[in-house]
PDB file of all heavy atoms in Angstrom:
ATOM      1  N   GLU A 480       2.823  33.841 -21.676  1.00 97.00           N
ATOM      2  CA  GLU A 480       2.160  33.934 -22.997  1.00 97.00           C
ATOM      3  C   GLU A 480       1.325  32.641 -23.228  1.00 97.00           C
ATOM      4  O   GLU A 480       0.132  32.702 -23.708  1.00 97.00           O
ATOM      5  CB  GLU A 480       3.100  34.165 -24.131  1.00 97.00           C
ATOM      6  CG  GLU A 480       2.511  34.267 -25.496  1.00 97.00           C
ATOM      7  CD  GLU A 480       3.575  34.403 -26.648  1.00 97.00           C
ATOM      8  OE1 GLU A 480       4.726  34.431 -26.214  1.00 97.00           O
ATOM      9  OE2 GLU A 480       3.149  34.482 -27.724  1.00 97.00           O
ATOM     10  N   LEU A 481       1.979  31.510 -22.866  1.00 97.00           N
ATOM     11  CA  LEU A 481       1.250  30.226 -22.980  1.00 97.00           C
ATOM     12  C   LEU A 481       0.067  30.135 -22.175  1.00 97.00           C
ATOM     13  O   LEU A 481      -0.997  29.693 -22.583  1.00 97.00           O
ATOM     14  CB  LEU A 481       2.249  29.061 -22.764  1.00 97.00           C
ATOM     15  CG  LEU A 481       1.640  27.664 -22.785  1.00 97.00           C
ATOM     16  CD1 LEU A 481       1.152  27.379 -24.254  1.00 97.00           C
ATOM     17  CD2 LEU A 481       2.608  26.637 -22.278  1.00 97.00           C
ATOM     18  N   GLY A 482       0.171  30.571 -20.918  1.00 97.00           N
ATOM     19  CA  GLY A 482      -0.966  30.618 -20.031  1.00 97.00           C
ATOM     20  C   GLY A 482      -2.165  31.321 -20.556  1.00 97.00           C
ATOM     21  O   GLY A 482      -3.280  30.910 -20.501  1.00 97.00           O
ATOM     22  N   SER A 483      -1.957  32.491 -21.159  1.00 96.00           N
ATOM     23  CA  SER A 483      -3.013  33.298 -21.793  1.00 96.00           C
ATOM     24  C   SER A 483      -3.597  32.629 -22.998  1.00 96.00           C
ATOM     25  O   SER A 483      -4.768  32.665 -23.129  1.00 96.00           O
ATOM     26  CB  SER A 483      -2.471  34.692 -22.117  1.00 96.00           C
ATOM     27  OG  SER A 483      -1.967  35.410 -21.016  1.00 96.00           O
ATOM     28  N   ILE A 484      -2.736  31.956 -23.790  1.00 97.00           N
ATOM     29  CA  ILE A 484      -3.179  31.259 -24.960  1.00 97.00           C
ATOM     30  C   ILE A 484      -4.072  30.086 -24.497  1.00 97.00           C
ATOM     31  O   ILE A 484      -5.153  29.793 -25.025  1.00 97.00           O
ATOM     32  CB  ILE A 484      -2.063  30.744 -25.739  1.00 97.00           C
ATOM     33  CG1 ILE A 484      -1.409  31.825 -26.515  1.00 97.00           C
ATOM     34  CG2 ILE A 484      -2.514  29.729 -26.826  1.00 97.00           C
ATOM     35  CD1 ILE A 484      -0.014  31.532 -27.181  1.00 97.00           C
ATOM     36  N   LEU A 485      -3.600  29.353 -23.493  1.00 97.00           N
ATOM     37  CA  LEU A 485      -4.381  28.170 -23.002  1.00 97.00           C
ATOM     38  C   LEU A 485      -5.725  28.564 -22.465  1.00 97.00           C
ATOM     39  O   LEU A 485      -6.795  27.939 -22.678  1.00 97.00           O
ATOM     40  CB  LEU A 485      -3.664  27.420 -21.940  1.00 97.00           C
ATOM     41  CG  LEU A 485      -2.327  26.730 -22.304  1.00 97.00           C
ATOM     42  CD1 LEU A 485      -1.650  26.123 -21.126  1.00 97.00           C
ATOM     43  CD2 LEU A 485      -2.594  25.684 -23.475  1.00 97.00           C
ATOM     44  N   ALA A 486      -5.732  29.778 -21.697  1.00 95.00           N
ATOM     45  CA  ALA A 486      -7.041  30.279 -21.149  1.00 95.00           C
ATOM     46  C   ALA A 486      -7.957  30.586 -22.262  1.00 95.00           C
ATOM     47  O   ALA A 486      -9.265  30.430 -22.051  1.00 95.00           O
ATOM     48  CB  ALA A 486      -6.785  31.498 -20.303  1.00 95.00           C
ATOM     49  N   GLY A 487      -7.516  30.883 -23.396  1.00 94.00           N
ATOM     50  CA  GLY A 487      -8.405  31.209 -24.594  1.00 94.00           C
ATOM     51  C   GLY A 487      -8.820  29.985 -25.387  1.00 94.00           C
ATOM     52  O   GLY A 487      -9.827  30.040 -26.056  1.00 94.00           O
ATOM     53  N   LEU A 488      -7.987  28.964 -25.356  1.00 95.00           N
ATOM     54  CA  LEU A 488      -8.313  27.789 -26.061  1.00 95.00           C
ATOM     55  C   LEU A 488      -9.216  26.734 -25.353  1.00 95.00           C
ATOM     56  O   LEU A 488     -10.077  25.997 -25.943  1.00 95.00           O
ATOM     57  CB  LEU A 488      -7.056  27.057 -26.420  1.00 95.00           C
ATOM     58  CG  LEU A 488      -6.095  27.746 -27.444  1.00 95.00           C
ATOM     59  CD1 LEU A 488      -4.741  26.950 -27.561  1.00 95.00           C
ATOM     60  CD2 LEU A 488      -6.777  27.866 -28.840  1.00 95.00           C
ATOM     61  N   ILE A 489      -9.074  26.655 -24.042  1.00 94.00           N
ATOM     62  CA  ILE A 489      -9.703  25.680 -23.284  1.00 94.00           C
ATOM     63  C   ILE A 489     -11.193  26.071 -23.065  1.00 94.00           C
ATOM     64  O   ILE A 489     -11.500  27.258 -22.624  1.00 94.00           O
ATOM     65  CB  ILE A 489      -9.046  25.344 -21.880  1.00 94.00           C
ATOM     66  CG1 ILE A 489      -7.591  24.905 -22.111  1.00 94.00           C
ATOM     67  CG2 ILE A 489      -9.837  24.361 -21.001  1.00 94.00           C
ATOM     68  CD1 ILE A 489      -6.723  24.921 -20.879  1.00 94.00           C
ATOM     69  N   SER A 490     -12.143  25.096 -23.159  1.00 79.00           N
ATOM     70  CA  SER A 490     -13.540  25.497 -22.976  1.00 79.00           C
ATOM     71  C   SER A 490     -13.811  25.854 -21.538  1.00 79.00           C
ATOM     72  O   SER A 490     -13.335  25.186 -20.624  1.00 79.00           O
ATOM     73  CB  SER A 490     -14.356  24.167 -23.441  1.00 79.00           C
ATOM     74  OG  SER A 490     -14.070  23.898 -24.758  1.00 79.00           O
ATOM     75  N   ARG A 491     -14.613  26.843 -21.360  1.00 71.00           N
ATOM     76  CA  ARG A 491     -14.988  27.260 -20.063  1.00 71.00           C
ATOM     77  C   ARG A 491     -16.305  26.554 -19.604  1.00 71.00           C
ATOM     78  O   ARG A 491     -16.688  26.603 -18.422  1.00 71.00           O
ATOM     79  CB  ARG A 491     -15.218  28.819 -20.023  1.00 71.00           C
ATOM     80  CG  ARG A 491     -13.916  29.568 -19.940  1.00 71.00           C
ATOM     81  CD  ARG A 491     -14.217  31.061 -19.851  1.00 71.00           C
ATOM     82  NE  ARG A 491     -12.934  31.751 -19.686  1.00 71.00           N
ATOM     83  CZ  ARG A 491     -12.186  32.187 -20.649  1.00 71.00           C
ATOM     84  NH1 ARG A 491     -12.540  31.900 -21.894  1.00 71.00           N
ATOM     85  NH2 ARG A 491     -11.101  32.895 -20.409  1.00 71.00           N
ATOM     86  N   LYS A 492     -16.944  25.862 -20.506  1.00 66.00           N
ATOM     87  CA  LYS A 492     -18.115  25.063 -20.209  1.00 66.00           C
ATOM     88  C   LYS A 492     -17.797  23.642 -20.503  1.00 66.00           C
ATOM     89  O   LYS A 492     -17.215  23.240 -21.490  1.00 66.00           O
ATOM     90  CB  LYS A 492     -19.290  25.533 -21.027  1.00 66.00           C
ATOM     91  CG  LYS A 492     -19.781  26.937 -20.791  1.00 66.00           C
ATOM     92  CD  LYS A 492     -21.051  27.253 -21.527  1.00 66.00           C
ATOM     93  CE  LYS A 492     -21.570  28.660 -21.186  1.00 66.00           C
ATOM     94  NZ  LYS A 492     -22.733  29.028 -21.941  1.00 66.00           N
TER      95      LYS A 492
END
Side-chain angles (χ1 to χ4, degrees):
E480 182 181 2
L481 178 63
S483 298
I484 290 172
L485 293 179
L488 292 175
I489 301 170
S490 304
R491 286 184 171 84
K492 293 184 178 180

